[in-house]
Amino acid sequence: MRSIVQVDDTWSCALHGRVLSLRQDSTHLHYRASFPDHSLEPPTPPSSAPSSTVDPAPEDDTEALVKHYLNLDPNLTELYEQWSSVDANFKKKAPRFAGIRILRQDAWEALVGFICSSNNNIIRISQMSKMEKLCIHYGPLLGHVGITPYHDMPSPSVLADPKIESQLRQLGFGYRAKYLYQTAAMISQEHEQGWLDSLRNPEKPIMGQKPSSAGEMQPGGREGYRIAHEELLALQGVGPKVADCVCLMGLGWGEAVPVDTHVWQIAQRDYKFGKGKHSSLTKATYDAVGDRFRTLWGKEAGWAHSVLFTADLRAFSERLVTKVEVTQVKEERTDLRLETRLEAEIVAKKKVKREADDSEPGPNDFTTIKEITRIKRRKKI
């Protein structure tokens, strides 16, 4: 749901306190991270004496973040084969859309993004850029790439200010301004810190935590999923579909199946819904469609559903996708920490230009997700 800017063959976005840039060739994924240079900021409150120590640079976890956020660990070939073995319709359509993965988004980011995009089609969602407006006006600045600024997500407490609703209306959020303000206030004032993440699937925890069992799968989903769905419905601007979107993409509940009118059309056309008591998309029909897909595809039903959803969109229906496999992740050791700190310094001081020059990070500053067999330089800090 974040705003992702493309310049030539590189895509950049703000993510987890850094600006992340990605580019991909036919076999590998390359990344570069730029961090804010806090050394340029004055201390608060001003110190009466100079510091005698220098804070150590934080450990760079960008490689782990890339793997986590893009959900690269699951074996996509095995999943596609599993879904194809039980569903002839999936087997027919999926090969043209290999490589589709469900992002492992931050729960708050996913919640805000889906409240902003509710009741809109794909084209209007991409044109509205409400998440970008929200980050620019209320999120902390992380840096620039070229002339483009990148801001992180504002926290719930920032959006819980009573003045926020009227300000968001002026920015074009319409009726969603009320939902965003009220939901932010509920999360920051009525729940303990970390409440949203407490609803997460323990098999897919936040980065850095160890997974644990989520219990037995049922036709209606595991107990933790059902609890998370009900809790989200209590928030302003969150209906069953938005709750399922957040469960699937923000909380890691793979069995969540968001059902909108488009998915309902797929269910009628390809899975024999639309007759008898399920002739229209009621609450009961919504649940029945989700249960049918969960029974068919298992605990990653929402992922399989997203493949068919993509395949059915007019914008993608004629596209043939070449499959790209990322088989192993290994840091290309050309002194990643030094490169990352240098990149952050350049972004903060010079606002990196698009035209390459001697001081601008070039293609070789990307760390490659691949196996390196020969390394020319090895430096240690």
Side-chain angles (χ1 to χ4, degrees), residues 5-312:
V5 179
Q6 181 185 13
V7 178
D8 298 326
D9 64 345
T10 300
W11 300 80
S12 299
C13 69
L15 188 66
H16 286 247
R18 74 206 75 190
V19 180
L20 179 65
S21 297
L22 299 172
R23 60 181 175 84
Q24 183 174 344
D25 56 31
S26 61
T27 56
H28 300 111
L29 179 65
H30 311 264
Y31 70 85
R32 181 177 66 211
S34 307
F35 293 87
D37 190 348
H38 296 297
S39 66
L40 300 179
E41 300 175 359
T44 305
S47 175
S48 59
S51 175
S52 59
T53 61
V54 177
D55 291 335
E59 181 179 354
D60 191 310
D61 61 353
T62 303
E63 183 177 296
L65 174 62
V66 171
K67 290 183 64 177
H68 177 89
Y69 192 75
L70 298 182
N71 203 11
L72 295 181
D73 284 336
N75 188 311
L76 207 52
T77 300
E78 292 180 359
L79 286 174
Y80 272 53
E81 289 176 350
Q82 172 192 330
W83 298 326
S84 296
S85 69
V86 297
D87 184 0
N89 183 54
F90 187 94
K91 184 177 182 178
K92 175 183 177 182
K93 295 181 178 179
R96 296 187 298 138
F97 292 87
I100 294 176
R101 293 182 181 269
I102 298 294
L103 296 180
R104 294 182 66 174
Q105 292 178 281
D106 172 78
W108 170 241
E109 172 189 333
L111 175 60
V112 172
F114 285 110
I115 290 177
C116 287
S117 64
S118 61
N119 297 321
N120 276 289
N121 58 39
I122 298 295
I123 295 176
R124 287 193 64 194
I125 289 172
S126 63
Q127 290 174 340
M128 287 164 59
S129 299
K130 284 185 167 53
M131 285 284 283
E132 183 178 7
K133 289 182 180 179
L134 203 65
C135 292
I136 288 174
H137 286 85
Y138 302 104
L141 177 66
L142 298 177
H144 294 73
V145 176
I147 62 173
T148 304
Y150 290 85
H151 296 253
D152 216 343
M153 276 288 297
S155 66
S157 60
V158 170
L159 298 184
D161 188 309
K163 299 189 295 291
I164 289 292
E165 181 180 344
S166 62
Q167 292 173 358
L168 291 179
R169 289 186 183 276
Q170 293 176 2
L171 291 172
F173 282 74
Y175 67 88
R176 297 175 184 83
K178 179 179 180 180
Y179 294 156
L180 288 171
Y181 161 67
Q182 291 181 338
T183 289
M186 291 176 69
I187 291 175
S188 62
Q189 298 169 12
E190 299 178 16
H191 294 282
E192 294 182 357
Q193 186 174 2
W195 169 74
L196 263 182
D197 280 322
S198 73
L199 303 177
R200 183 177 294 276
N201 180 356
E203 292 180 359
K204 300 177 182 178
I206 60 176
M207 191 175 73
Q209 293 188 358
K210 293 183 179 180
S212 58
S213 174
E216 294 294 324
M217 183 66 181
Q218 304 292 333
R222 288 165 288 189
E223 182 181 10
Y225 156 67
R226 297 194 298 271
I227 291 174
H229 193 268
E230 286 301 314
E231 291 282 339
L232 291 172
L233 288 176
L235 301 175
Q236 293 297 313
V238 178
K241 188 193 77 170
V242 169
D244 270 327
C245 287
V246 177
C247 283
L248 177 63
M249 301 182 195
L251 296 174
W253 292 106
E255 65 262 51
V257 179
V259 181
D260 60 4
T261 55
H262 195 93
V263 175
W264 171 232
Q265 291 169 2
I266 295 174
Q268 293 178 90
R269 185 190 65 219
D270 300 329
Y271 296 93
K272 299 182 180 180
F273 276 87
K275 297 180 180 180
K277 62 180 181 180
H278 298 312
S279 59
S280 60
L281 187 53
T282 62
K283 174 63 168 63
T285 303
Y286 184 102
D287 293 339
V289 171
D291 291 350
R292 173 75 174 93
F293 288 157
R294 281 185 281 270
T295 301
L296 184 63
W297 296 319
K299 65 179 184 179
E300 297 293 350
W303 195 336
H305 136 283
S306 298
V307 175
L308 292 186
F309 177 86
T310 304
D312 211 62

